[in-house]
Amino acid sequence: MGMYASNAGKSGGEFFTPQEVSQLLARIAINGKDTLNKVYDPACGSGSLLLQFEKLLGKENLGKGFFGQEINITTYNLCRINMFLHNIGYDKFDIAKGDTLHKGAHDEFVPFEAIVSNPPYSIKWEGDSNPTLIDDARYNPAGVLAPKSKADMAFIMHSLHYLANSGTAAIVCFPGIFYRGGAEQKIRKYLIDKNFVDTIIALPSNLFYGTSITTYILVLKKSRTDNTVTFIDASEQFVKAANNNKLSESNISKILGAHIDKTDQPHFCRQVTTQEIATQDYNLSVSTYVTKKDTREKVDITQLNAEIERIVSNGERLRAEIAKVVAEIEVA
């Protein structure tokens, strides 16, 4: 499937998340646990994210198994085939077809201990044109719906609603939702004021098939005991590979270590209080809080001025010598 997605270009990226990114998301969502009851992906595509839990924990350590929802009929069928190809029996997964944002298909199984997702970026949805959605238990806590032209925050609110109090959600997001104003800013305010945001990670560009944009990972938790958010700038954590960048094992380990240890590292990781975030108008862009290392050449101004004076002095001396030679020639 990875080879197909690579050759399919943009269309391939619609259903397949690169394994390295999937592994990072799953390891964040596992959060040090050896067993999980249920794992969930609200926009599961071919199931590549869900199947990382089988690789990392083993299906025998996933009690009720794998749950997901997918709107595209072809991708939905690919996901079910993928489960069988990985020897996951029909009694260990429940993949539903349908529009997750309009109606979640797994309400009777809520909550989930681990949620991972790479939802479509900035797609259109019903939003406030459907008056019933503002009363939907998934969206009404924020008091506002995601814009009709950008459903990203709707996927986040849906995942938060499905998340267990002891669980972790790791969601790949389009960077714009972390700094745009309007409804998205109000939803960010809700998430920060309620202390649901644990970590925000800026990933390298060109990781995903069919797009070269930089993406973020948003990590949500409901039962947090501190009021800081971890910001990680992992934009330089990659290795070159053919047409795309990739996360190496050392890259993944460094990102995970920063997420777990939560200690400040210059130009890479910083803990920021929710009060400071509020003073920034709830801007959650990593670049707002983690400064990049200045790789520009440092110049000693005093030494530079001395060098300029030396060059000017030499220039004046040479001009004087040339003028003397020219004068002698003219006299001759």
Side-chain angles (χ1 to χ4, degrees):
M1 286 197 173
M3 291 174 66
Y4 171 76
S6 178
N7 292 326
K10 185 175 181 180
S11 63
E14 293 176 0
F15 75 89
F16 185 82
T17 301
Q19 287 200 35
E20 299 80 16
V21 180
S22 299
Q23 182 187 144
L24 175 60
L25 291 169
R27 289 171 69 177
I28 289 172
I30 288 171
N31 197 29
K33 298 174 182 176
D34 296 322
T35 61
L36 292 170
N37 190 23
K38 303 186 297 285
V39 296
Y40 173 69
D41 184 346
C44 62
S46 65
S48 57
L49 273 170
L50 291 172
L51 287 167
Q52 280 296 324
F53 291 95
E54 188 270 336
K55 293 181 180 180
L56 294 171
L57 295 179
K59 62 182 178 181
E60 68 277 3
N61 292 315
L62 293 162
K64 293 185 178 179
F66 309 85
F67 295 78
Q69 188 165 348
E70 174 58 41
I71 193 171
N72 182 287
I73 181 66
T74 302
T75 313
Y76 157 75
N77 284 320
L78 274 174
C79 183
R80 296 196 297 167
I81 292 170
N82 209 8
M83 291 290 167
F84 288 124
L85 289 174
H86 285 79
N87 202 29
I88 308 296
Y90 69 91
D91 58 330
K92 291 286 286 187
F93 71 86
D94 186 334
I95 306 300
K97 183 188 176 300
D99 184 348
T100 301
L101 299 182
H102 181 73
K103 180 174 175 55
H106 297 98
D107 288 350
E108 69 271 28
F109 297 103
V110 172
F112 293 94
E113 293 176 90
I115 298 176
V116 288
S117 187
N118 180 16
Y121 308 141
S122 302
I123 62 167
K124 295 180 181 179
W125 77 306
E126 294 175 289
D128 57 14
S129 63
N130 183 344
T132 65
L133 288 178
I134 192 59
D135 296 321
D136 191 307
R138 298 172 295 170
Y139 309 126
N140 65 17
V144 65
L145 295 171
K148 287 189 290 186
S149 60
K150 302 176 182 68
D152 310 70
M153 281 296 188
F155 281 107
I156 290 171
M157 291 299 294
H158 170 88
S159 296
L160 180 66
H161 178 74
Y162 272 39
L163 184 63
N165 287 332
S166 60
T168 302
I171 307 166
V172 179
C173 302
F174 181 74
I177 68 170
F178 292 97
Y179 60 80
R180 291 189 297 235
E184 290 175 319
Q185 182 187 37
K186 292 177 181 177
I187 296 173
R188 292 198 305 271
K189 182 179 186 302
Y190 165 76
L191 295 173
I192 292 297
D193 289 349
K194 292 296 183 180
N195 207 26
F196 292 140
V197 180
D198 183 74
T199 303
I200 297 175
I201 305 167
L203 292 176
S205 61
N206 202 30
L207 283 180
F208 295 87
Y209 300 110
T211 179
S212 61
I213 64 169
T214 299
T215 52
Y216 276 32
I217 293 176
L218 172 66
V219 182
L220 301 174
K221 293 182 180 180
K222 284 186 174 178
S223 300
R224 286 170 26 85
T225 57
D226 63 80
N227 65 340
T228 62
V229 177
T230 305
F231 288 86
I232 301 172
D233 182 0
S235 58
E236 302 299 323
Q237 295 298 309
F238 67 90
V239 293
K240 290 284 187 182
N243 297 326
N244 289 83
N245 295 329
K246 296 185 71 173
L247 298 176
S248 67
E249 179 56 38
S250 63
N251 297 145
I252 293 173
S253 296
K254 183 172 182 178
I255 296 168
L256 273 173
H259 163 66
I260 294 169
D261 296 341
K262 299 189 180 303
T263 55
D264 288 358
Q265 300 178 45
H267 314 299
F268 180 64
C269 177
R270 184 180 168 221
Q271 311 307 305
V272 181
T273 64
T274 53
Q275 292 87 347
E276 181 179 345
I277 292 172
T279 64
Q280 295 288 344
D281 293 327
Y282 297 92
N283 184 325
L284 297 180
S285 294
V286 172
S287 59
T288 303
Y289 306 100
V290 181
T291 58
K292 288 190 175 295
K293 187 175 182 179
D294 189 353
T295 57
R296 295 174 299 179
E297 182 182 358
K298 294 183 179 179
V299 177
D300 185 328
I301 297 299
T302 302
Q303 183 179 353
L304 178 62
N305 282 335
E307 181 68 11
I308 291 173
E309 288 182 5
R310 184 185 67 79
I311 292 171
V312 170
S313 177
N314 284 342
E316 291 175 348
R317 179 178 58 78
L318 289 171
R319 282 182 178 277
E321 291 179 1
I322 291 171
K324 183 178 179 181
V325 171
V326 170
E328 290 176 354
I329 293 172
E330 288 176 345
V331 169

